[in-house]
Amino acid sequence: MDHVLYFVAAAARAPAAEAALAAAGRRSSPSRAARIRVAQEHSPLRTLAKLRSGAADALVVDARGEVGAVDESTSLGLLRALFDEHALATPIARERTFLVVDADPRGTELAFHAGRMRLGGVLAGGEDDLPRAIWESIVATVSRARSGKIALCLAGGGTEGLFYEFGVLRALSRFLPDFDLCDVDIVCGISAGAVVGALLANGVGPEELARALKGSDRRADSTRGGPRLDPIRRSDLFDPAIGAFAGRAARLSWDVVRGRRSPLSALFRLPPAGAFAGKRLKRWLKRQLDKPGMTDDFSRLRHRLFIGATDQDSNEHVVFGAPGAPEVPIHVAVRASTALAPFYAPEKIHDRYYIDGGFTRTTNMRVAVQEGATLVILVDPLVPVSSARPGHVQERGGIFVAMQGLKSLINGRFDKAVPTLRAMYPHVAFHLFQPGEGARRVMGGSPMKYFYREEIEEIAFRETTREIRSARFDQMVRDFGRHAVRFVDPDAQPSLDTLEDEVRVVA
């Protein structure tokens, strides 16, 4: 069901406007009219409140019948409250907002102001053809979000981010009883999100992922009938780069002996590019993707998979799985994307060195939109800790300080990108999930919190479930509904009507 909010400035015109619009809908497209609910409103304050709660997919502001100076127009005041000249993030997209005016000089002046606000359109005309024009504008607006694709964009965040994403995905799955997250049309993954994304694209669901990361048994997955993942051990994630250290030590010692480098210069070059080699993680990924029913080939996946990494020398973001990127197996692309320097060594591909994709992008949500996504679920674990107590970060040591700085840089960049893309693509529904206060407290510091994996996953699950129920549920019902996917609360009590229907069926 699509929801349209119809603001009528002159209350006396409300009944006639409602009847004319309903008649236009029945004449133009009766089937579509049954799926569009139009709610009238006369109060600017209530209209603003409803829009800020995400209660509308389109807005019609009917300024006909207003009197007085244009600057005193109630309709214009509402629009100005909604669309500040420099605002990117607005309660409803400008392109989904229409102004209806009288065909007179006052209407022309209102239309001029609407043009400066870059609204979706201004409608004027006679009583015979105007209702149909309003209805067609509404249908065109809500139709742009239909028949599109669903995308899942997963950011990085080290081992702790991996477990956070499992919790978020497990929570989302509970609200989607008829839809498997493995069946999303597009998956974009970076760093930890690349690991999750590669396995999701291969049909491995959130609960099975979580069991593997928790080190559970190897019994076959009874829900999907497919192969179970091997449990991932601490040694698979953290393999010290001893070989790289020994090799550098030998080369630098020889340089010192030959006089080609001073001892101090050699000392500064001694640490390897990463504390961990990442070879065991790469082997673990290959073992999983080589199992029956899975694939290590981007082109053989049922849905699109994009893995983001960073060319270490050119600082260019490379999207594996997209045209123009180097052709590599999925497990190699994931290994490159997870090379979080200085923790993990870079991955060499075709004489180029690649590191974590999070250094240049956060989720590749623009790639998803360009591939046709009209519903994008964003999961971003990289949120810095926030504390009012001075010294909270400083007293926790160098690793905590470094990670707090990195998270602040990436999060600041991402916070600017999301509203920009929402303004650029008003037909796309974006839903962003980030750690709340409880999750941030546990996830703060080292990105290698292997021993906290179950706690992080459970907190993420509970926070996401609570956030959906308290603030997002109605909006997500509509957004998934436009893509023919049912979004329901599994713990909601059935209504009296539902119970009566069940009784009739049994009888």
Side-chain angles (χ1 to χ4, degrees):
M1 179 70 69
D2 295 302
H3 294 255
V4 177
L5 195 56
Y6 196 110
F7 175 80
V8 182
R13 296 184 61 94
E18 183 177 16
L21 188 61
R26 289 192 298 270
R27 289 194 302 270
S28 177
S29 50
S31 60
R32 177 56 61 86
R35 298 197 301 268
I36 297 178
R37 179 175 298 169
V38 180
Q40 275 202 2
E41 185 54 72
H42 316 300
S43 165
L45 291 178
R46 286 197 299 269
T47 301
L48 286 171
K50 289 181 179 179
L51 292 172
R52 286 167 180 159
S53 68
D57 303 299
L59 171 66
V60 178
V61 178
D62 194 336
R64 292 177 295 171
E66 283 187 330
V67 295
V70 169
D71 286 342
E72 298 174 356
S73 164
T74 304
S75 301
L76 186 58
L78 172 62
L79 293 173
R80 283 172 172 167
L82 284 170
F83 307 117
D84 179 80
E85 184 178 358
H86 304 291
L88 287 174
T90 56
I92 190 168
R94 300 170 188 267
E95 290 80 0
R96 295 186 183 189
T97 304
F98 297 87
L99 177 64
V100 182
V101 298
D102 290 310
D104 57 18
R106 190 176 190 279
T108 302
E109 190 173 352
L110 284 172
F112 170 77
H113 288 288
R116 295 183 62 181
M117 295 180 191
R118 306 186 303 280
L119 300 187
V122 178
L123 304 172
E127 293 294 337
D128 294 334
D129 55 354
L130 187 54
R132 183 181 180 87
I134 296 172
W135 178 256
E136 290 177 349
S137 297
I138 290 173
V139 170
T141 300
V142 299
S143 295
R144 280 196 291 269
R146 289 188 175 274
S147 303
K149 299 176 182 178
I150 301 175
L152 189 60
C153 295
L154 307 170
T159 308
E160 59 183 48
L162 199 67
F163 300 126
Y164 174 79
E165 289 176 349
F166 290 159
V168 172
L169 296 178
R170 183 161 67 93
L172 283 170
S173 295
R174 295 191 72 239
F175 291 86
L176 298 166
D178 309 321
F179 182 78
D180 195 324
L181 286 176
C182 299
D183 292 328
V184 296
D185 303 289
I186 303 163
V187 178
C188 296
I190 290 177
S191 192
V195 178
V196 182
L199 295 171
L200 274 175
N202 268 282
V204 182
E207 291 194 6
E208 188 180 0
L209 283 169
R211 288 199 298 271
L213 265 293
K214 291 175 182 178
S216 301
D217 58 77
R218 296 171 178 263
R219 290 177 298 175
D221 180 53
S222 60
T223 59
R224 295 187 63 85
R228 277 282 286 117
L229 294 178
D230 296 333
I232 187 166
R233 308 298 184 187
R234 187 185 179 196
S235 57
D236 293 321
L237 295 173
F238 311 125
D239 52 338
I242 298 174
F245 181 84
R248 294 177 73 87
R251 289 194 303 272
L252 291 169
S253 298
W254 183 240
D255 286 346
V256 172
V257 170
R258 297 176 61 187
R260 298 178 60 183
R261 194 177 303 280
S262 70
L264 183 61
S265 173
L267 182 64
F268 277 109
R269 290 174 178 263
L270 181 59
F276 304 105
K279 293 180 179 179
R280 291 182 181 175
L281 173 61
K282 186 176 176 181
R283 288 198 294 267
W284 183 88
L285 287 164
K286 188 176 190 307
R287 283 200 310 272
Q288 312 318 306
L289 300 183
D290 282 346
K291 289 183 177 182
M294 302 176 75
T295 180
D296 202 15
D297 187 340
F298 281 97
S299 64
R300 297 180 62 185
L301 292 169
R302 291 188 302 121
H303 305 294
R304 300 302 303 273
L305 172 66
F306 300 99
I307 302 296
T310 301
D311 187 309
Q312 188 177 40
D313 296 299
S314 69
N315 200 41
E316 176 188 4
H317 190 84
V318 178
V319 182
F320 294 102
E327 295 185 7
V328 296
I330 294 173
H331 81 276
V332 174
V334 173
R335 169 63 186 90
S337 184
T338 57
L340 178 60
F343 297 101
Y344 283 95
E347 177 72 9
K348 185 179 180 181
I349 301 175
H350 302 168
D351 296 326
R352 304 294 299 183
Y353 291 85
Y354 294 88
I355 57 175
D356 196 299
F359 286 113
T360 43
R361 290 187 192 171
T362 306
T363 65
N364 271 326
M365 51 189 172
R366 188 190 298 268
V367 173
V369 174
Q370 291 170 346
E371 286 292 316
T374 49
L375 171 56
V376 182
I377 305 297
L378 308 167
V379 186
D380 174 31
L382 277 170
V383 177
V385 173
S386 178
S387 175
R389 184 171 63 84
H392 175 79
V393 174
Q394 183 70 19
E395 66 187 23
R396 282 163 172 73
I399 292 180
F400 196 107
V401 171
M403 289 308 303
Q404 179 78 347
L406 179 63
K407 289 180 178 181
S408 298
L409 286 171
I410 294 176
N411 184 251
R413 176 188 69 197
F414 190 57
D415 281 350
K416 293 180 180 178
V418 173
T420 300
L421 284 183
R422 280 176 172 155
M424 291 174 60
Y425 304 108
H427 64 288
V428 179
F430 293 96
H431 289 279
L432 171 62
F433 293 93
Q434 294 176 309
E437 184 178 349
R440 289 201 303 270
R441 188 165 52 248
V442 179
M443 295 168 64
S446 168
M448 307 300 169
K449 289 195 170 180
Y450 181 79
F451 293 111
Y452 290 93
R453 59 195 186 280
E454 293 191 37
E455 184 178 359
I456 292 172
E457 196 264 350
E458 183 61 26
I459 291 175
F461 170 78
R462 293 181 181 276
E463 282 187 348
T464 304
T465 301
R466 185 168 57 249
E467 182 180 352
I468 289 174
R469 285 176 173 154
S470 64
R472 298 175 181 246
F473 184 76
D474 291 341
Q475 186 67 49
M476 296 189 79
V477 167
R478 290 197 297 274
D479 291 337
F480 274 97
R482 292 193 194 98
H483 296 78
V485 176
R486 204 162 57 98
F487 193 89
V488 298
D489 189 340
D491 298 328
Q493 295 295 322
S495 66
L496 184 60
D497 293 339
T498 302
L499 291 173
E500 290 177 350
D501 290 339
E502 292 178 354
V503 170
R504 293 191 193 102
V505 170
V506 172

